Structures are given as structure tokens and as C-alpha cells.
Amino acid sequence: MQVRNALEALTLRPTRFLRSPWPLRSLIYLTGGALIGLATIVATLLLLAVGVALSVVVVGVAGYLATVLSGVAVGRLERWRMRLVDLDALPNPHRHPGAPGLRAWLTCRLREQATWRELGYTMISALVLCWMDAAVVYAAVFVPSALLFAPIYLHGETTPWVTVPMALLTPFTLAVAAYPVTAWAGARAAMARALLAPRSADSNAALVELNRSRARLVDAFEVERRRIERDLHDGAQQRLVALSMQLGLARLELADGSPAAVQVTAAQQLAKETLAELRELIRGVHPKVLTDRGLAAAVGDVAGYAPVPVDLDLRLHGRLPDAVEMTAYFVVVEALANVAKHSEATRAAVSAGVRGGRLHLDVRDDGRGGADPEVGTGLTGLADRVAAVAGTVALSSPPGGPTLLHVEIPCAS
């Protein structure tokens, strides 16, 4: 079991947990939290005192800005400190300013929700959390230390029969203290993550750019597929057809049954088989029927080649965006291939239609069911392909069947 944070470490066996670095890391994290909270309190009081003492508008505004932006510094420090008790890094929620300079930076930060959430976290940390950190650290360090040094500071006040057993209890108290220290550190880090993690409003611009980048990649990939299909169709396939014809003409010039005729006939047969394999490859790279006639015709063509009978119910009126048609086509191809390889089905059905601006695609079979994406049936790759166009995949495949694969893809360009 790979432990990613302090809370997960608590689920380990006691021997493994106590030998792990998590209790020590948690203690360091809480000690740092107490010190940062104390420093924040001192800095805030100093800023307020300077503003009141000078009573100057400029100084007051500067102090206000410094107090607000102190949350940015504390938030950055907290995201760095959290790596002690949480190995999953917390992303930076702040945007890059649209222009260079201090004024653009200040304007950008003061308009972000993340800045005010960080300020809120800073105030909560200074007023509440740091004191709890200090209390937990004090109890975890003071009690074992008091027991360990009992023979020294209680010397002469009581007998060794009391102080020595107290000192011997130190390892036990350390082991017990490791659990509340780690638990509070994990809970505190979880609270910090909840407050400091990026929100949709913070990352909206980045998300838009990510979607645009993904769309560009999908489009570039499809353009490259079409180029490969065109090169194979117009280049290699035509040369193989010409080769087969030349071998056929050469065969006519040779006497039947001669060794040369046998070799030429065999070569012509190999050329025909290679041509058939090339046509299958071209169909897999980018089927021409999909480009020329659309998704319904292409799915019908796939159903005609399927090893099991396929019922079609395609209610598609007009063409869909190229990326949608391509994705849906390969979903059908992969799904029917899985039906043939794994389901032991006697019949399959494919239905498709556009509702609410989304393509709804269903592939059913009457096989034995039990399809599992974790066992390498191609469902994971299929889901990744659909996710590339912001689609979703749902699978129902109870043992004994039947199996239903439901795919939804947005049709907006």
C-alpha cells in the first residue's frame, strides 16, 4: 500500500506506522504551523500599530494592502509545507498578471477569489489553528519528556521505584502520542487543501485554454490520420493494384504448369492478399466511407463486416462534426471487436441519435457479460478516446449479460 498522506498513514499496522517517517513529519508540520501563526499575529499587530501611530492615509493603505497580501505569502508557504504530510502537491490557484509591473500584479491579486480565501485561511490559522498546533505539539513533547527526565528532576523527592518505571514508560507514551499528532496534522492539511485548492472560477481561464489545446490536438491528429489514409489509398494501394495487374499479364505470357508460371501465380496471390490487408489497414486508419457519406454509412459498413449479426437503429439526420463522427465510429469498431473476442454473444445491436445537442450511442450484446476495464478489453482506451472530445462512457455488464455500452459526445463544434 502506497501512503500518500498522514491520514492514510494511520491505516497502517502499528509496527509499520511507528517505524515510518509520518509521525516525525507531522510533528514538524504542526511545529511550523504554530510558529507561522505566531509570526502572523506579531506582523499584523505591528502593521496595525504603525498605521494607528502615524495616522497617515498612505501608510494606512499600505498597511491594509500588506495585511491582505500577507495571505498570499502564507498560502504559498502552506502549499509548500503541506508536502510534509501530503505528497500530492496543491496547485497554485493564482493567475499570471496580464501585464508586467507591480500595479498589474496588485490589481490581479486583489481581484482574485483565491487571494481572499488565503487571507481567510491566514486569519483562521493565526486565531485558532496555530494554538491547537501548539497544544498538540506541547502535549506530544512535554509528557514523554517529563517521564524520561523524572529520575532527574524528582531526585530526592521520591524513590527510584517510582521514577525509573516512569522513565521506562517513555517509549510507550511516544508511540501513543504519534497517533494524535499524525491525525491532527492530516486533518489540518485536509482543511488547508479545502480552503487553498483552486476553484473553478480561479482556473476558468486555464481550463478554457486546456480545452482549446485538447481540441487542437484532436483536430491535428485527425488531419494526420486523413493524410496517412490518403497516402496509402492513392500511393501504396494503387501500386499494389498495378503490380497485381502486371503479374497477371506476365502470367498470360507463360505456359501453364511451367515453374515460372507457378512462381508468378504465387506472387500475384501474395499481392492480392497484401492489397486486401492494406485495404483493412486503410479502413482502420480513416475509413473513406466515413468521410464521404457520414457516420451512419460507416457504422453500417462496420456492421456488415462484424463476426456476429448486428441490428442497427441509427437516427442521424445530417452530418456531425468530424471529431464526433470519428470518435463514435471507432467506439463502434472497438465495441464490436470486444463483442467478437470476449462476449460469446450471438447478436449485437447499435443505436445512435442526437438529443439535446449530444450524440447518444449505445452498443448492446447478448453475451455472457462481466466486461471489466481493468482486464485489458480495450475499454480503457475507448474511454480515453471519448474523453478527448469531452464525452462520457457508461458500462453495464453484469455477469451473465447482457452488456450495454452507452456513450455521450457533445456535438457542438
Side-chain angles (χ1 to χ4, degrees), residues 10 12 104 116 120 180 184 193 377:
L10 294 172
L12 297 173
W116 301 98
W184 172 239
R193 179 176 289 274
T377 58

Side-chain angles (χ1 to χ4, degrees), residues 90-91 174:
L90 189 62
L174 286 173

Side-chain angles (χ1 to χ4, degrees), residues 41-365:
I41 293 174
V42 173
T44 303
L45 292 176
L46 286 176
L47 289 172
L48 293 176
V50 169
V52 171
L54 297 178
S55 299
V56 179
V57 174
V58 175
V59 176
V61 171
Y64 167 76
L65 289 176
T67 302
V68 172
L69 295 177
S70 65
V72 176
V74 173
R76 176 177 294 182
L77 181 60
E78 182 63 26
R79 285 190 292 273
W80 177 77
R81 288 193 332 110
M82 279 181 60
R83 299 302 296 273
L84 284 169
V85 291
D86 192 342
L87 300 183
D88 295 325
L90 189 62
N92 186 355
H94 294 291
R95 303 190 309 268
H96 290 289
L102 178 60
R103 181 175 181 179
W105 185 86
L106 285 174
T107 302
C108 179
R109 290 294 173 265
L110 292 175
R111 290 179 177 177
E112 288 181 316
Q113 293 183 8
T115 300
W116 301 98
R117 288 201 309 272
E118 287 173 337
L119 177 61
Y121 171 79
T122 301
M123 295 298 101
I124 293 174
S125 178
L127 296 176
V128 180
L129 298 181
C130 74
W131 302 106
M132 298 179 68
D133 294 343
V136 173
V137 171
Y138 177 79
V141 174
F142 174 77
V143 174
S145 299
L147 292 176
L148 179 63
F149 295 106
I152 298 176
Y153 68 81
L154 293 179
H155 180 70
E157 297 182 11
T158 184
T159 63
W161 297 103
V162 176
T163 58
V164 171
M166 292 174 63
L168 294 177
L169 285 175
T170 302
F172 175 76
T173 55
L174 286 173
V176 172
Y179 281 90
V181 168
T182 306
W184 172 239
R188 193 190 193 288
M191 286 187 285
R193 179 176 289 274
L195 289 172
L196 301 178
R199 300 294 195 273
S200 58
D202 301 330
S203 58
N204 184 60
L207 181 60
V208 169
E209 180 57 30
L210 176 62
N211 288 333
R212 290 175 178 172
S213 176
R214 182 172 63 179
R216 289 193 296 267
L217 287 174
V218 171
D219 291 342
F221 179 67
E222 294 305 329
V223 168
E224 185 63 16
R225 290 173 67 99
R226 293 190 181 191
R227 185 192 65 78
I228 294 173
E229 181 270 337
R230 185 175 60 253
D231 291 346
L232 290 175
H233 184 274
D234 298 337
Q237 181 176 248
Q238 298 304 321
R239 290 186 178 89
L240 278 174
V241 171
L243 174 62
S244 180
M245 293 178 61
Q246 289 292 333
L247 289 172
L249 292 174
R251 171 66 184 83
L252 295 176
E253 300 296 329
L254 299 173
D256 293 338
S258 64
V262 173
Q263 294 296 328
V264 170
T265 302
Q268 186 181 20
Q269 182 61 31
L270 286 175
K272 290 180 179 179
E273 293 174 359
T274 304
L275 182 59
E277 292 178 1
L278 181 62
R279 284 172 177 163
E280 289 296 324
L281 176 62
I282 292 173
R283 185 182 293 111
V285 171
H286 189 95
K288 189 172 180 58
V289 65
L290 181 63
T291 302
D292 295 341
R293 299 169 54 196
L295 179 61
V299 171
D301 186 58
V302 172
Y305 285 97
V308 298
V310 179
D311 299 323
L312 298 178
D313 182 15
L314 307 176
R315 303 179 182 182
L316 302 172
H317 306 289
R319 299 297 298 268
L320 300 174
D322 292 343
V324 175
E325 288 192 336
M326 177 59 66
T327 302
Y329 172 80
F330 280 105
V331 165
V332 174
V333 170
E334 183 66 29
L336 291 180
N338 286 337
V339 170
K341 293 178 183 178
H342 307 288
S343 72
E344 300 178 2
T346 60
R347 199 164 196 88
V350 178
S351 60
V354 178
R355 299 189 298 275
R358 299 174 69 88
L359 172 65
H360 294 254
L361 177 65
D362 292 332
V363 181
R364 299 178 175 84
D365 69 72

